[in-house]
Structure formats: C-alpha cells, structure tokens
Amino acid sequence: MSLSIQNLRVGYGAVTALHDVSIEIASGVITTIIGSNGAGKTTIMKAIAGLLPQAAGHVLYNGEELSGLRPSQIVAKGVALVPEGRRLFASMTVAENLATGAYSRSDKAAIAQDLDRVLDRFPILRERLGQRAANLSGGQQQMLAVGRALMSRPRLLLLDEPSIGLAPVVVQQICEIVAAISREGVDVLLVEQNASLALRLAEFAYVLESGRITRSGHARDLRQDPAIQAAYLGI
C-alpha cells in the first residue's frame, strides 16, 4: 500500500470539511476521488501535502507518518502535488518554473536528466523555455505544472482537478500523459469533478460527498452503478 489515510478530520475554523475520511492508495494504479464542487476533494489533497493542518487522523506514506511534516519534507519523501489552478510562478519563465520543482535536490546530473525527460514528455515546453508562464495557454500551463512536480522525482503524484478549464483535446492529452506516468511506476491520486473522465482513467475510485466517503470500488463498477450514473455521469 502506497498511501493510507486513516480517520482524517480537517476543518476551517469551526467548520469541519472532512469527517473521519479513510482512503487506501495502492501501488501501481491510478486512484481517483470524485465528488461535486465543495465536497472536500481539494482539502484532502492539501492535507496530504502538508498545506492544511489536521484536526485528527493519520496520513501514512509507505508506513511513515506524514502528519505534522512541512510541505518541503513531504516532497522530499517522494510526494508531489499538482494543485488546482496550477499555481505557477506567472512572472517566471518555463525553465525557472521547472527548476523550482527540483529546489530540494542537490543531484545536479540527475536533475539535468529529469529535465530532459520532462521536456521530451512535453515538447511544447522545450520550445517555450524562455517564455513567461503567464503567456502560456491553459493546456501548456497544466503541462508545466505537471512537469514542475515531476522535477522533484516523485513516487506519488497528487493531481488536483487537472482537466479544469481545458479544451477536450487538451484534456485527452493530459489523460494520456497521466496514464504514461502511471505505467512508468509513479503512483497517482487523481481528484476530479469530471467524474466521467476520472472513472475512465482510474482503476479504483472513492466518492466524496460533504466531506465523507460514501462509496468506493473499482472504477469500472462505479461507472455501471445507476446511482453514480445519475449523480455524476449525467445518465
């Protein structure tokens, strides 16, 4: 088991956003969390990444407690977040944004190799290395956000709403990239409001409603579930 979330509770002031959420992320598969806007999906991702304090519960990665660690320490453990909205450094170049992904590393030769791999994966970024991130298209910015995360050489990649605001053709490109990353041995936790996309891409899925896990199972089974179809797939 790659990631184990046990009875996680997170709040914003007096408001509880996550109610004793428990999730298991298996190695070698893409796992997704689907749910409507405001269900708490981004809150889970931020809690895993150390960006939000926990009121209770545990986040274990390969058996090691992540709760209480700083975000930089969690990245050093091999967990990288591609946040909702990308959160790039808009005034910095593509090259500079990619370099920030490796800020905690000192292995210069390996960093150079990883940069080449990222640019091979995203050829458009190689063409735009000197361009400011703010001037990229939405799809290019999403590729840059993923590339920046990969520069930390993660073993677990957290993807928060990667399809949001993108044209369908670009969404398909991002899906192909995520599938390729998974095949190369990086575990993936995908949070998506686009349930149809998420359930096609992932192998295992959780349904989050109002801060609580209400369903879980193989993605192919949830795709066939009438309640899921009615609530999330428009069928």
Side-chain angles (χ1 to χ4, degrees):
M1 198 62 63
S2 172
L3 183 74
S4 177
I5 300 173
Q6 302 172 359
N7 300 311
L8 180 64
R9 194 180 313 148
V10 177
Y12 297 92
V15 179
T16 300
L18 297 177
H19 303 266
D20 300 319
V21 167
S22 294
I23 292 173
E24 303 289 338
I25 310 301
S27 297
V29 302
I30 299 175
T31 302
T32 188
I33 304 171
I34 64 171
S36 60
N37 189 33
K41 303 184 303 298
T42 291
T43 299
I44 289 178
M45 298 298 245
K46 288 183 175 180
I48 296 169
L51 298 174
L52 282 176
Q54 301 167 207
H58 300 276
V59 178
L60 304 172
Y61 181 59
N62 291 330
E64 186 175 357
E65 183 73 64
L66 297 185
S67 306
L69 296 183
R70 297 188 303 274
S72 59
Q73 293 174 308
I74 292 172
V75 171
K77 299 289 184 184
V79 181
L81 170 67
V82 180
E84 181 184 11
R86 313 187 232 324
R87 304 293 182 185
L88 299 171
F89 298 101
S91 64
M92 292 168 55
T93 67
V94 168
E96 290 167 338
N97 270 275
L98 290 173
T100 64
Y103 75 96
S104 64
R105 299 173 57 185
S106 58
D107 48 340
K108 292 184 179 180
I111 290 171
Q113 291 174 353
D114 287 343
L115 178 59
D116 278 339
R117 277 194 286 267
V118 166
L119 296 178
D120 286 344
R121 191 186 299 279
F122 304 108
I124 191 64
L125 297 184
R126 192 184 294 276
E127 299 175 16
R128 304 278 195 275
L129 276 175
Q131 189 170 331
R132 292 173 63 232
N135 295 332
L136 300 179
S137 69
Q140 292 165 2
Q141 288 183 359
Q142 187 63 62
M143 292 175 189
L144 179 55
V146 174
R148 179 179 62 181
L150 293 177
M151 286 300 297
S152 69
R153 192 172 278 191
R155 297 186 301 278
L156 172 62
L157 186 64
L158 310 174
L159 290 168
D160 191 357
E161 302 281 9
S163 74
I164 193 166
L166 301 183
V169 64
V170 180
V171 170
Q172 182 59 37
Q173 290 178 325
I174 296 296
C175 288
E176 291 171 359
I177 290 165
V178 172
I181 290 170
S182 175
R183 288 194 298 270
E184 292 167 10
V186 177
D187 300 327
V188 176
L189 176 59
L190 169 69
V191 155
E192 261 295 341
Q193 191 171 346
N194 184 337
S196 177
L197 178 152
L199 293 176
R200 290 197 312 270
L201 187 59
E203 296 178 52
F204 199 86
Y206 291 87
V207 179
L208 185 69
E209 297 178 348
S210 301
R212 292 180 170 86
I213 297 295
T214 58
R215 299 288 298 277
S216 65
H218 291 287
R220 63 178 179 273
D221 295 332
L222 292 184
R223 284 200 308 269
Q224 302 304 318
D225 186 288
I228 299 297
Q229 290 177 344
Y232 297 103
L233 303 181
I235 299 176

